Amino acid sequence: MDQFTRIKRSGEKVGEVSGVVSLGYARREKTRQKIRLTSGESIGIRLPRGTIMRGGDYLQSDDNRVIAVVAASERVSTVHAQDPEILARVAYHLGNRHVWVQVGNGWLRYLADHVLDEMVQGLGCKPESEIAPFEPEGGAYHAHHHTGQDK
């Protein structure tokens, strides 16, 4: 089983891509795991601790084999609001609960959770249940990797 130990960020030059892996956010946070490519092949990942794989990134093995990372669609809640103050309030309360949040132009997204949906409704917003890729903010101690995915 091939071991992939390096990550190349979207936009960095890579060689020929020999496979694709589609992972939800929880799996893209794990730095040591066995995964299955879309072809069915199993590979191992051993990335530096704290690394988060993003859709559009590439994994590289010691023999320079390259695998593309795709952010899998998953169940999310998306909140739209014209008023930035309302979105800021929702983001504050989600962040206060240590919830990962994806920020777009006029919207926020978080992994679906009925308790969080009820809280957001109490703040005056109506979360929409969707199936979509989830790319949350990297946080204060991680460089943000903007994917350009605006809705």
Side-chain angles (χ1 to χ4, degrees), residues 113-127:
D113 179 298
H114 73 280
V115 172
L116 295 175
D117 290 345
E118 289 175 15
M119 178 196 72
V120 168
Q121 287 174 358
L123 293 169
C125 291
K126 184 177 192 296

Side-chain angles (χ1 to χ4, degrees), residues 127-142:
E128 298 172 28
S129 180
E130 299 181 309
I131 303 293
F134 183 59
E135 290 286 1
E137 290 292 309
Y141 301 104
H142 294 91

Side-chain angles (χ1 to χ4, degrees), residues 38-102:
T38 56
S39 67
E41 176 189 357
S42 291
I43 64 166
I45 296 176
R46 282 190 354 256
L47 297 173
R49 299 219 184 272
T51 301
I52 296 175
M53 295 175 272
R54 299 288 186 170
D57 287 346
Y58 300 92
L59 299 174
Q60 193 170 33
S61 68
D62 290 336
D63 63 358
N64 293 323
R65 183 172 172 211
V66 177
I67 301 296
V69 177
V70 173
S73 291
E74 49 196 314
R75 184 157 301 286
V76 295
S77 292
T78 303
V79 179
H80 295 272
Q82 297 297 319
D83 184 346
E85 186 177 327
I86 291 172
L87 280 181
R89 187 171 288 115
V90 171
Y92 170 82
H93 285 283
L94 290 168
N96 198 37
R97 286 155 182 80
H98 303 282
V99 173
W100 288 103
V101 176
Q102 181 177 353

